[in-house]
Amino acid sequence: MQLHQCTDSIYDASVALQLLKEGNQRFVLGYPTEKKSCESDRKILSKGQHPIAVMLCCSDSRVAPEIIFDQNLGDIFVIRNAGNVVDDVVLASIEYGVDLLLCPLVIVCGHSNCGAVNAVCKGSLHLPHLHSVAQRIQPALVNEASADEVARCNVKNMAKQLQQALQELSAPVTVVGAFYNMVSGVVEWFDDVPQ
């Protein structure tokens, strides 16, 4: 499949998803595309953006969507926070990406060894504002589950919440879950996000 160009608009979620899957394969194999961060692209992007997807992912510095999905500047409309959780500010940002930027695809991407999830699993909630993140992750806690299993469940919970919230928008949108393995670099995709 041809790489997305910064002036392209993609209105098909399956095409956008395929571009991201192919990008992750290149990243895993160690053959990323040569990035074009040239002056002409910056000038084009300064006039407007046409991202292929909206992505909610963790703030973890080791989880950089443009790198792990081998995309260029302007390709992904990214919202990041600890634990990739949904709140009103996140939802407003996602609505903007879907309704105004016409992104056909929303991805919730969690990852292995997530510090926010680990803190919730261990009950290490000593930071004053971590409770607002923890209360959103806690529904993913299940008996004897590993932190990575909780992180996967959290992705599915957040994706389900977004699916329900985005039904009110006029623009069509597909919501999928993903889980990034920091050791292998592989992104696991969830086709079973509850409706």
Side-chain angles (χ1 to χ4, degrees), residues 3-13 15-16 19 44-45 48-53 74-75 100-104:
L3 289 177
H4 174 248
Q5 301 297 312
C6 62
T7 55
D8 293 347
S9 294
I10 294 180
Y11 301 110
D12 186 307
V15 172
L19 286 169
I44 291 169
L45 287 168
Q49 57 179 320
H50 303 282
I52 63 172
D75 287 346
L100 298 177
L101 299 179
L102 303 177
C103 292

Side-chain angles (χ1 to χ4, degrees), residues 51 65 84 87 123 125 155 159 186:
N84 45 271
D87 63 13
L125 306 174
V155 164
V186 173

Side-chain angles (χ1 to χ4, degrees), residues 81-87 114-141 150 154 157-158:
N81 63 38
N84 45 271
V85 298
V86 176
D87 63 13
C114 178
V117 170
N118 287 339
V120 172
C121 288
K122 294 176 182 174
S124 307
L125 306 174
H126 61 280
L127 298 174
H129 295 95
L130 190 57
H131 292 286
S132 62
V133 171
Q135 72 183 13
R136 289 170 172 81
I137 295 173
Q138 283 173 337
L141 290 173
V150 172
N154 182 56
N157 289 350
M158 295 301 118

